[in-house]
Amino acid sequence: MSYSFFMENKWILPLFVSLIITLLSLAAAAKPALPPVFIFGDSTADVGTNNFLPHSMARADFPPNGIDFPGGPNPTGRFSNGLNSADFLARLFGYKRSPSPFLSFKYSSLQKKMFNGINFASGGSGLLDITGRTMLTLMKFGTGNIPLGVSFRNQQKHVISLTDQMHQFSSVKNNLTTLMGVKPTEKYLKGSLIFISIGSNDLFAYYHSKSSIPKEDFLCSLELAYENHLKTLYDLGARKFGIISVAPIGCCPSQKIFNATEGCLEELNEYAIAFHLKLEALLCKLSTEYEDFMYSLGNSYEMTINVIQNPLLFNFTEVESACCGSGKLNAESFCKQGSNLCSDRNQYLFWDRFHPSQAASKLAAITLFSGGQPFVSPVNFYQLAMA
Ligand SMILES: *[C@@H]1O[C@H](CO)[C@@H](O)[C@H](O)[C@H]1NC(C)=O
Ligand SMILES: *[C@@H]1O[C@H](CO)[C@@H](O)[C@H](O)[C@H]1NC(C)=O
Ligand SMILES: *[C@@H]1O[C@H](CO)[C@@H](O)[C@H](O)[C@H]1NC(C)=O
């Protein structure tokens, strides 16, 4: 399975040359300081993975994305005016920002870097491998109501599915084992933090494809997929899981424009709540099944709805429309050059029609790191790291 995966992906092979270099520098830099951080998921955590997929339309590597990036405007591929939650989480753990995308690892850029982790997240991906393809179909034949752009060319990779992200992580583990040996690799992975932020695209695709699959069956299939991915990571040696559930996605500007009163799409929000409950039950089960399985579950729904209901408490003045876009709620088109752009970007909850602003991402990361119930449980991400 891995073999054909690598053969099919010509960008993977040169990558390993650079990984070897990276891993060697890891082996050399013996002092364990910060916990290594491995990040999986969709556009909420993508820090440039899709820039390496020429046929992906779920990309943000053009202005005005990145307009507030630290050090000056820089469209890195993040779906944000600056950093995203993956960056702020990494920062709270002592790093400058998120580790680089797996696909970016290059000989030259890595010599100086310590091996602190990798970001595998890819915009447009879902728990189910078919999520990207569903959206493709919707775009071709559907309502035009597509959450994230996807390529028309089915043959080309337009997203790194969560399954592919697992394959990539597995290859990293193999490389670590070759370089450090079995025991040190085990120890290294045991102390690593695994962050996963995924699920929104599955719910969007299900909702907008008007699937005939009953809601409960669909949610169970998501839970099962999550279980399989988590077991894969556990079997590879990961033990500490920081899981971020789905926000009230019916309140995204892109969805509100389909409500005549511009309120939230309640059905999508109900999916998000139901998804969280499933996730809670799943994680509880896994932690009893596997004694050393540790987790922290962030309740994105509660966190975000709290801000939407009390914006001023969090210094937001605009929680309805997107900062960058056009049309109704500034949400009828993607954020691109020439879009309407708000000036008070720190006061906007939404950067574009789907994604939180840098300010909102920062708030979310702080809550995950140091918050308590009902926003993050049974422990927060800091306590998870210390456990
Ligand atoms: C790293 O893993 C890849 C794929 O599993 C493999 O081709 C490569 O030889 C490995 N490198 C080392 C140093 O183990
Ligand atoms: C549209 O928004 C209103 C609140 O403004 C809400 O009561 C209603 O249920 C929403 N409609 C849908 C289809 O979600
Ligand atoms: C809101 O802004 C005030 C004044 O700048 C600041 O003291 C407060 O900490 C901010 N609150 C949040 C939640 O960021």
Side-chain angles (χ1 to χ4, degrees), residues 330-343:
N330 224 9
E332 288 181 274
S333 75
F334 280 99
C335 174
K336 52 179 187 280
Q337 222 146 10
S339 292
N340 296 323
L341 187 63
C342 70
S343 53

Side-chain angles (χ1 to χ4, degrees), residues 42-99:
D42 57 25
S43 59
T44 55
D46 187 337
V47 293
T49 296
N50 287 10
N51 303 354
F52 296 87
L53 309 178
H55 297 281
S56 177
M57 283 169 64
R59 286 169 67 162
D61 53 342
F62 46 84
N65 292 295
I67 188 170
D68 298 314
F69 201 76
N74 186 1
T76 57
R78 288 165 173 82
F79 298 79
S80 169
N81 53 315
L83 298 174
N84 66 22
S85 298
D87 293 304
F88 285 113
L89 272 176
R91 204 180 248 197
L92 288 162
F93 282 103
Y95 298 107
K96 191 173 172 194
R97 59 185 72 127
S98 164

Side-chain angles (χ1 to χ4, degrees), residues 264-296:
C264 303
L265 286 187
E266 297 302 339
E267 200 176 332
L268 267 173
N269 283 357
E270 281 159 23
Y271 294 171
I273 294 172
F275 177 72
H276 183 86
L277 289 172
K278 286 252 182 282
L279 213 42
E280 207 167 49
L282 169 64
L283 291 166
C284 185
K285 187 189 88 165
L286 288 175
S287 71
T288 50
E289 246 171 65
Y290 306 103
E291 204 187 322
D292 49 356
F293 181 101
M294 288 172 273
Y295 73 94
S296 169

Side-chain angles (χ1 to χ4, degrees), residues 313-315 363:
L313 208 59
F314 301 94
N315 294 340
L363 179 64

Side-chain angles (χ1 to χ4, degrees), residues 3 27 41 53 106 116 189 254 288 334:
Y3 183 73
L53 309 178
K106 279 196 203 79
N116 292 323
L189 292 175
S254 60
T288 50
F334 280 99

Side-chain angles (χ1 to χ4, degrees), residues 230-253:
L230 288 170
K231 282 183 172 167
T232 299
L233 291 168
Y234 182 89
D235 288 341
L236 289 168
R239 291 296 178 267
K240 294 182 174 184
F241 300 90
I243 308 286
I244 302 161
S245 68
V246 172
I249 49 177
C251 298
C252 282

